């Protein structure tokens, strides 16, 4: 039987963030950990906001409430409630907070979920009552009873993930009647007589649990290269890497013409297989007139993060006959590191000349080249 066909479907999500995450090795809740410029929680919120989900309830502990409220205040469709002393109780509090037609329950510590996975679980819940993200087991699982070891047929085994999505009336009924201990929401649902339905998840949709998940989650590397050049002219500020330099000439361009930052942005975009800055921020668009390139750099990093990459390092060279940049290189590195959301030792900037050759050597232009390494967080994203 079809469900939610006559009226627009009210779809909500419960993101559970109330756990302590003691196995993570962190001194704070792992959903507050930064991956690039975004926290673990923000990455999940951003992805859910790209789907049909109308409202998100974040369930957190009383201890983490101020920090979570600070994050969620930037989102119009997010509310926050405090949970209980178990995951079961926290989920139930989240379910009661926002009645709807379809509800997704998601672990806050799974920041690499994709909108495609979310949409598949919604479709299944509308059609069949539930949609549980899962993937076939890749390891052989053994059962041990009284010291005796037996093998389980791997082709029949699946590892469940989140989101786990249900018709709201059915999952709340299941939670209201549940007794005992449960490992996930599908088990609660099954205990009430309902039949969970599995849909394809992703091997990259990992739950951050142990220190290794935080220190080495990256599976693949991408190298990007960028180049830019701008003419020097009177009546303009000279800005490199977000730092204003005392010099009688500045760079000509539609934005602030920060040639160094432009080269870095193109390196990042090329590594992430995204269009270059001329496509993303065209000089025919008035909203970019005079805009700070550091603002654009932050937008580029958001796009890079949405593609599932974290930044390893950036190396850039400014090519200019004048002015001498050595005294302010450290300031430029600090400025770029802050905008990129990384440590200063992950940004290297050097300067060179062209020995008076060409338009740069004649003092009529400044050029810059940049390269970067992006690391992909998980395959099958």
């Amino acid at each position: 039987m079809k469900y939610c066909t006559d009226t627009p479907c009210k779809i909500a999500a419960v993101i559970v963030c109330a756990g302590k995450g003691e196995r993570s090795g962190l001194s704070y809740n792992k959903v507050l950990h930064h991956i690039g410029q975004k926290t673990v929680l923000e990455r999940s919120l951003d992805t859910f906001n790209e789907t049909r989900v109308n409202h998100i309830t974040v369930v957190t502990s009383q201890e983490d409430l101020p920090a979570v409220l600070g994050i969620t205040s930037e989102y119009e469709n997010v509310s926050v409630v405090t949970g209980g002393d178990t995951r079961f109780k926290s989920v139930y509090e989240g379910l009661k907070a926002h009645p709807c037609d379809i509800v997704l329950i998601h672990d806050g510590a799974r920041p690499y979920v994709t909108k495609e996975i979310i949409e598949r679980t919604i479709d299944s819940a509308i059609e069949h009552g539930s949609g549980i993200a899962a993937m076939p087991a890749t390891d052989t699982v053994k059962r041990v009873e009284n010291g005796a070891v037996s093998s389980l047929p791997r082709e029949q085994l699946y590892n469940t993930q989140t989101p786990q999505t249900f018709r709201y009336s059915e999952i709340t009924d299941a939670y209201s009647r549940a007794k005992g201990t449960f490992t996930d929401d599908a088990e609660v649902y099954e205990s009430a007589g309902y039949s969970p339905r599995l849909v394809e998840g992703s091997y990259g949709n990992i739950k951050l649990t142990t220190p290794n998940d935080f220190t080495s989650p990256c599976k693949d590397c991408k190298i990007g290269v960028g180049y830019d050049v701008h003419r020097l002219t009177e009546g303009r500020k000279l800005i490199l890497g977000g730092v204003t330099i005392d010099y009688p000439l500045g760079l000509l361009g539609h934005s602030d013409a920060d040639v160094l930052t432009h080269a870095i942005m193109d390196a990042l975009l090329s590594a992430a297989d995204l269009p270059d800055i001329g496509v993303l921020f065209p000089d025919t668009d008035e909203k970019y007139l005079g805009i700070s390139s550091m603002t654009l750099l932050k937008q580029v990093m958001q796009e890079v993060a949405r593609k599932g990459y974290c930044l390893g390092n950036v190396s850039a060279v400014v090519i200019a006959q004048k002015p001498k940049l050595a005294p302010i290189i450290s300031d430029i590195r600090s400025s770029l590191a802050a905008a990129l959301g990384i440590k200063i030792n992950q940004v290297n900037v050097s300067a060179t000349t062209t020995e008076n050759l060409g338009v740069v050597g004649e003092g009529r232009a400044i050029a810059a080249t940049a390269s970067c390494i992006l690391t992909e967080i998980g395959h099958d994203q």
Side-chain angles (χ1 to χ4, degrees), residues 105-289:
I105 303 171
H106 185 65
D107 294 325
R110 289 189 191 269
Y112 308 129
V113 65
T114 66
K115 62 182 181 181
E116 290 79 14
I117 295 173
I118 293 170
E119 294 289 359
R120 281 197 292 269
T121 69
I122 294 172
D123 288 339
S124 180
I126 292 173
E127 180 75 19
H128 304 289
S130 64
I132 315 299
M135 291 299 288
T138 57
D139 297 320
T140 298
V141 180
K142 302 291 185 181
R143 173 185 289 161
V144 180
E145 291 184 276
N146 300 320
V149 179
S150 60
S151 297
L152 298 177
R154 188 169 63 184
E155 65 275 8
Q156 298 177 12
L157 300 178
Y158 280 74
N159 295 321
T160 58
Q161 305 173 344
T162 64
Q164 299 191 2
T165 304
F166 310 90
R167 293 176 182 171
Y168 180 81
S169 59
E170 295 178 358
I171 191 63
T172 52
D173 170 60
Y175 261 87
S176 69
R177 295 193 284 123
K179 294 180 180 179
T181 302
F182 304 93
T183 58
D184 70 353
D185 310 295
E187 191 175 3
V188 177
Y189 188 71
E190 185 179 5
S191 74
Y194 299 105
S195 298
R197 183 98 172 191
L198 301 186
V199 301
E200 183 183 4
S202 163
Y203 290 116
N205 183 25
I206 64 170
K207 183 178 181 182
L208 302 179
T209 304
T210 67
N212 187 61
D213 296 327
F214 293 87
T215 58
S216 58
C218 301
K219 304 296 184 183
D220 201 4
C221 292
K222 304 285 186 178
I223 297 174
V225 177
Y227 172 84
D228 197 21
V229 59
H230 281 271
R231 185 181 301 277
L232 284 163
T233 187
E234 295 181 351
R236 295 272 297 187
K237 291 181 179 179
L238 178 57
I239 301 172
L240 294 174
V243 176
T244 301
I245 300 167
D246 185 15
Y247 192 64
L249 303 177
L251 293 170
L252 183 63
H254 188 67
S255 65
D256 63 3
D258 184 339
V259 68
L260 171 58
T261 303
H262 290 185
I264 291 172
M265 286 193 288
D266 269 340
L268 292 165
L269 293 167
S270 69
D273 191 27
L274 290 165
D276 62 33
I277 58 175
V279 175
L280 294 181
F281 315 116
D283 59 11
T284 55
D285 194 329
E286 288 300 307
K287 71 181 177 182
Y288 301 122
L289 180 62

Side-chain angles (χ1 to χ4, degrees), residues 26-67:
L26 300 173
S27 60
Y28 50 87
N29 192 328
K30 54 193 174 185
V31 303
L32 305 177
H33 183 74
H34 276 79
I35 301 173
Q37 290 183 302
K38 295 281 188 175
T39 62
V40 170
L41 176 55
E42 286 173 291
R43 286 183 66 98
S44 290
L45 292 174
D46 288 345
T47 303
F48 272 81
N49 274 330
E50 295 177 354
T51 70
R52 284 174 282 172
V53 172
N54 310 123
H55 184 271
I56 302 170
T57 299
V58 176
V59 186
T60 188
S61 65
Q62 191 66 43
E63 178 184 359
D64 294 323
L65 184 59

